[in-house]
Amino acid sequence: MLRLAKIIGDPRLLMWSHHSLGVNSGAQGNFLNARTHLEQSLALYDLRQRGSHGFVQDPHVTGSAALAHVLHSLGHLHQALEKSQKALSEARESGEPYTLAWAIGAMAELRIRRGEYLEGRELANELSGLCTKHGFLSLAVQCHLWCGWTLVQEGQEEAGITRMQHSLATSSYTLQSRLIEFYLACAYKQDGRVEEGLSIVENLIAKMNSEGEPSSFIPELFLLKGELLLMQDSREVEAEHYVHRAIEIARRNSDKTAELLATTSLARLLAKQGRRDEARTMLAEIYNWFTEGFDTADLKDAKALLGELAT
């Protein structure tokens, strides 16, 4: 698309080409590339032609919402929230149903990634109403996923897992299904259903390896496998290997948020092994990289652990 758009020299086609490359790069975990293309797409958007770009969604809103998730992964947590809030505000002003639904879903997911589960569920419920009214079937699947996951976080594991299983059963495309499976495995871990969680994780890793298809949540997937293995007897060495793999992949992808999550998990494991100084040094390095977003759940958790390791 981009090659042809450059030959033709049409700014509108260039905008869509960069938009497509940005969204797909983000889905594959290539966040630096995704940021570059999404920012180029947004720069090419003509605000005077808002809503008239010949497609079902407004690429300024959806591009901004996608960029917000890229920025979150890159560790720019406050910038990500601001970008998503502006995208949602713009979508509400436009009143175009599909663009609005897309922006609400993106914000719901971002709130959940920040650990703000109540806000995430409220947005998911709003999205559900829009999807029911307008028949947005693929977006409706997100509602069940995010509502189910927030129920799990509130201790209602059985109800939440049932909702997430319904989401998986109604999903119609591979990438969406795999994301649901990942969160379902996380829910099984939280509910103590280790074997079921491991079965999903190992199947996901096998499919991704056989197809050679990268994904944005691969670091979290390896981290999840490590944490599930830690819940079994005599698998600590194997578990540590997978957490190290998660950190390695996160660094390769410039995924600072995933690196923080995995390093926090590893620091806890090292502390239990009596390696407190090593754990504190490792965790402090990634924590001190961040300059914003200290109100998010992940950074609060890392700070609390650093405090424990310092005593």
Side-chain angles (χ1 to χ4, degrees):
M1 286 175 65
L2 183 59
R3 180 177 59 82
L4 290 171
K6 285 179 177 178
I7 292 171
I8 297 167
D10 185 336
R12 181 170 168 270
L13 298 179
L14 284 167
M15 176 199 67
W16 277 115
S17 300
H18 284 298
H19 183 281
S20 297
L21 276 168
V23 170
N24 280 282
S25 295
Q28 293 178 322
N30 189 346
F31 297 115
L32 292 175
N33 197 49
R35 180 179 186 176
T36 296
H37 284 295
L38 287 169
E39 288 179 342
Q40 286 180 294
S41 176
L42 293 171
L44 288 163
Y45 184 93
D46 188 346
L47 292 171
R48 295 169 299 179
Q49 299 180 30
R50 185 181 300 279
S52 61
H53 286 80
F55 203 61
V56 70
Q57 56 176 286
D58 186 321
H60 194 266
V61 171
T62 56
S64 296
L67 180 57
H69 280 275
V70 169
L71 290 170
H72 185 89
S73 294
L74 290 171
H76 308 302
L77 308 183
H78 184 67
Q79 293 177 55
L81 181 61
E82 284 190 332
K83 182 68 69 175
S84 191
Q85 286 173 329
K86 287 178 181 177
L88 182 54
S89 176
E90 189 178 328
R92 292 194 190 284
E93 288 175 12
S94 75
E96 198 284 306
Y98 186 79
T99 296
L100 177 57
W102 210 100
I104 291 171
M107 176 60 97
E109 182 177 0
L110 187 64
R111 288 292 189 184
I112 286 167
R113 292 182 71 186
R114 290 171 56 88
E116 298 162 354
Y117 300 115
L118 177 60
E119 294 91 337
R121 187 195 293 185
E122 288 174 349
L123 286 162
N125 285 332
E126 182 183 358
L127 176 61
S128 180
L130 265 177
C131 290
T132 299
K133 181 178 180 179
H134 298 284
F136 301 145
L137 299 182
S138 65
L139 294 179
V141 173
Q142 291 183 29
C143 307
H144 296 294
L145 170 60
W146 302 134
C147 287
W149 179 241
T150 54
L151 285 171
V152 170
Q153 298 313 301
E154 293 172 3
Q156 301 181 58
E157 285 87 356
E158 186 175 346
I161 287 171
T162 298
R163 192 80 180 263
M164 294 165 75
Q165 288 171 333
H166 176 72
S167 176
L168 182 59
T170 53
S171 177
S172 58
Y173 63 93
T174 301
L175 183 61
Q176 185 181 64
S177 297
R178 289 184 180 174
L179 182 66
I180 298 167
E181 287 180 291
F182 167 73
Y183 274 98
L184 187 56
C186 290
Y188 285 144
K189 169 182 169 282
Q190 191 157 322
D191 198 32
R193 295 160 65 174
V194 178
E195 293 296 339
E196 289 169 274
L198 272 174
S199 177
I200 290 176
V201 168
E202 289 169 352
N203 184 49
L204 277 173
I205 291 173
K207 284 191 288 190
M208 289 179 181
N209 285 338
S210 66
E211 296 167 6
E213 180 67 27
S215 175
S216 62
F217 60 88
I218 284 180
E220 289 92 339
L221 188 61
F222 278 99
L223 172 60
L224 178 58
K225 181 166 183 177
E227 292 184 335
L228 284 163
L229 290 172
L230 277 175
M231 296 171 72
Q232 296 185 317
D233 294 331
S234 305
R235 302 193 74 175
E236 191 172 288
V237 173
E238 189 181 358
E240 186 175 340
H241 164 76
Y242 279 101
V243 179
H244 276 290
R245 283 287 309 279
I247 294 172
E248 175 190 332
I249 297 167
R251 286 174 177 168
R252 189 166 66 232
N253 293 352
S254 300
D255 190 341
K256 290 295 184 179
T257 299
E259 184 183 348
L260 175 72
L261 280 170
T263 306
T264 303
S265 180
L266 181 58
R268 282 201 171 90
L269 175 57
L270 295 179
K272 288 179 183 178
Q273 297 172 344
R275 300 155 65 185
R276 294 174 64 87
D277 290 343
E278 183 182 350
R280 184 174 62 253
T281 300
M282 178 186 300
L283 184 56
E285 182 179 354
I286 181 62
Y287 179 83
N288 290 334
W289 179 91
F290 285 83
T291 59
E292 59 184 83
F294 295 104
D295 57 337
T296 58
D298 296 339
L299 280 168
K300 285 180 178 178
D301 185 35
K303 182 180 180 180
L305 181 55
L306 279 171
E308 293 172 20
L309 293 170
T311 58

